[in-house]
Amino acid sequence: MIAPAAHRPMAGGFARRGACPALSAPMKTGDGLLARLNPVAGGLTPAQLGGLCEAAQAHGNGVVEVTARGSIQVRGLTESSAVLFAQAIDRLGISARTGVPVQTGALAGLDPNEIADPTTLAEMIRAGTAKAGLEARLGPKISVVIDGGGRTALIEVAADVRLTAIHVEGLPHWRVAIAGDAATARTLGIAHGDTEASEAALALLSEIAAMGREARARDLSEAQLLRVSNRLSGSHPAMPPSGHAAGSLVGTTRLRDDRLAFGVALPFGHTKAKLLKALAEAAQTLGIDDIRPAPGRTLVALCGTAIDAETLKNQAETLGFVTSPDDVRQAISACPGAPECASGHLPARLVAAEIANEYSSLLDGSIHLHVSGCAKGCAHPGKADLTVVGCAGGAGLVVNGTARDEPLGFVDNVGARGGLAAVAALVSAGRHTEEATAQAIDRIGFSALAEAFGQSGK
């Protein structure tokens, strides 16, 4: 495990944004307006996805992204074209989900390894929030995650309210937790059944709403948490293990109904609309009628046969999509960067692609690399093992931190790729046989990494 560096805010750091870029209320970014949507039905037909791509080309900058949480977003819109884009989406018959986000796995109810099907519970919570009028009283960042387990476990997706399926004495129950992902959320207790879990989730949302629109679950007092935990049948400190671990949705997964799900990831979370449209057309030719955005910047197509899945995989590879969970691009997060984004100081995705091509041995699965055009860190807000961030004064190297943290070393922005290449070369040369990259970084030391990064431009 790479030890933490000092985390002091960088000069000129950006404040946390307080709004979500919904289709009806796009958010201003460095490359225009950004609109995000989550289909109500969970997925899109190939024709709808192709039409969305056409709209992205006509009204945006021709880039389509899938976020880490599994939302589709389009960039480069203007005040006027955002309206036209929304109208095009409506004509395609795509209904975007509104209200408090309640997220389940992309294959919820279809994953044979799920501990519990979360779909009914999700609808109960959505109906409850609407009936109680909670959306108007909760901030735009509030979210609920319902993790049924299996291949589609939402382990890395953080939420204010988190319900996780677990086995208790051989029966499925729901663990109720707040403020975090599977590793960091605080457990309150166990709910026996969907009704009890739904009531606990709505009670938590009501407690948050009572504190105002700026409040989050982390702000709840002990008294408020006690009121909710007292509702739970299994409220006790010793919690059983979850019993499942997430697997990548990239590749092929057998479903309960004998169909197969084939998942592709977008390289660094984005693709050109024309490439995605070509993939949608290939799916349509195969008779595939359901393509679902999923966490991990992934799209999952529900295929009728193994031949269909293999054919689509071959087409996806030809178009440059990630079709294997072992693809080194899965270990990198990168934003558009310069020149696509006016806030970017370096071409983040170009640097990321070059490192993936030339230094793949560095990305052995033990570390995650984040290349950020600026200190906002849009592509990966949390910590990464290595972060290269563009700043007005040059590119910085951060170890086990975020794009907002103070870098250990600097090089001019033009030299960011060279600096990262020097770090990769240092680690590769100093790594012992059978040693992971993370272990090598720990042993080599942060000061040596910083020196290599900074010296590369001299």
Side-chain angles (χ1 to χ4, degrees):
M1 178 71 68
I2 296 175
H7 298 296
R8 297 183 294 275
M10 292 177 60
F14 291 82
R16 177 176 61 86
R17 289 168 291 177
C20 289
L23 187 63
S24 59
M27 182 180 72
K28 184 172 180 57
T29 66
D31 56 349
L33 297 178
L34 180 152
R36 184 177 297 161
L37 65 95
N38 293 284
V40 168
L44 303 172
T45 67
Q48 288 175 324
L49 181 57
L52 185 152
C53 292
E54 291 179 355
Q57 285 184 294
H59 307 301
N61 61 7
V63 170
V64 178
E65 298 178 328
V66 177
T67 71
R69 297 182 69 93
S71 299
I72 297 175
Q73 60 187 30
V74 171
R75 309 184 72 97
L77 300 167
T78 65
E79 293 286 351
S80 57
S81 72
V83 176
L84 298 175
F85 177 75
Q87 291 172 346
I89 295 301
D90 185 61
R91 286 194 297 272
L92 289 166
I94 301 173
S95 298
R97 195 175 296 283
T98 59
V100 177
V102 181
Q103 185 171 0
T104 60
L107 301 179
L110 296 174
D111 185 345
N113 296 319
E114 275 182 330
I115 294 173
D117 181 349
T119 53
T120 299
L121 176 55
E123 289 306 316
M124 292 171 70
I125 294 174
R126 292 184 184 117
T129 56
K131 182 177 180 179
L134 289 174
E135 180 185 3
R137 297 190 288 129
L138 289 166
K141 293 287 187 179
I142 297 294
S143 65
V144 178
V145 158
I146 309 178
D147 182 352
R151 183 78 177 266
T152 55
L154 302 173
I155 287 178
E156 296 181 354
V157 180
D160 290 87
V161 178
R162 185 175 190 84
L163 305 173
T164 305
I166 59 173
H167 280 126
V168 179
E169 297 179 352
L171 297 175
H173 293 69
W174 296 102
R175 173 187 288 168
V176 180
I178 63 163
D181 57 22
T184 61
R186 176 180 174 181
T187 298
L188 302 182
I190 297 175
H192 296 181
D194 290 353
T195 299
E196 187 175 311
S198 173
E199 290 174 350
L202 293 171
L204 284 167
L205 294 173
S206 295
E207 294 283 1
I208 297 170
M211 296 188 294
R213 285 181 57 82
E214 295 300 314
R216 302 294 299 272
R218 60 177 175 263
D219 302 318
L220 292 170
S221 68
E222 293 301 318
Q224 289 175 302
L225 295 176
L226 183 61
R227 282 199 290 270
V228 177
S229 63
N230 284 340
R231 294 171 170 261
L232 300 173
S233 302
S235 181
H236 53 78
M239 304 302 296
S242 62
H244 66 259
S248 171
L249 283 174
V250 175
T252 303
T253 303
R254 176 72 63 178
L255 303 178
R256 282 181 177 167
D257 57 7
D258 291 330
R259 288 184 297 172
L260 293 98
F262 172 66
V264 299
L266 278 59
F268 317 123
H270 91 299
T271 186
K272 296 293 186 182
K274 63 181 181 181
L275 297 177
L276 185 55
K277 181 184 177 185
L279 185 66
E281 290 172 343
Q284 188 168 23
T285 299
L286 292 168
I288 294 167
D289 61 5
D290 192 341
I291 301 176
R292 304 182 175 193
R297 310 179 193 281
T298 302
L299 289 170
V300 181
L302 304 190
C303 305
T305 68
I307 293 176
D308 291 342
E310 185 65 23
T311 303
L312 189 61
K313 176 184 177 181
N314 293 337
Q315 183 64 27
E317 288 177 346
T318 300
L319 294 169
F321 291 95
V322 176
T323 61
S324 168
D326 297 326
D327 191 306
V328 296
R329 290 174 292 178
Q330 290 288 80
I332 307 176
S333 297
C335 64
E340 287 83 357
C341 178
S343 298
H345 296 284
L346 58 85
R349 284 178 176 151
L350 178 60
V351 171
E354 290 176 340
I355 294 299
N357 288 334
E358 298 177 27
Y359 296 93
S360 59
S361 61
L362 181 72
L363 304 168
D364 61 355
S366 68
I367 69 165
H368 191 87
L369 170 65
H370 179 198
V371 185
S372 183
C374 73
K376 289 187 286 186
C378 299
H380 189 80
K383 292 182 181 180
D385 299 290
L386 294 176
T387 297
V388 175
V389 54
C391 313
L397 174 69
V398 178
V399 180
N400 194 29
T402 74
R404 289 186 173 86
D405 293 329
E406 184 176 2
L408 297 174
F410 279 96
V411 70
D412 62 78
N413 285 309
V414 175
R417 179 202 169 279
L420 192 51
V423 170
L426 175 65
V427 174
S428 296
R431 184 162 50 187
H432 294 164
T433 303
E434 304 298 327
E435 186 177 46
T437 296
Q439 295 171 316
I441 288 175
D442 275 343
R443 185 174 46 75
I444 291 169
F446 300 161
S447 60
L449 297 176
E451 183 178 359
F453 184 81
Q455 288 291 328
S456 67
K458 297 182 181 179

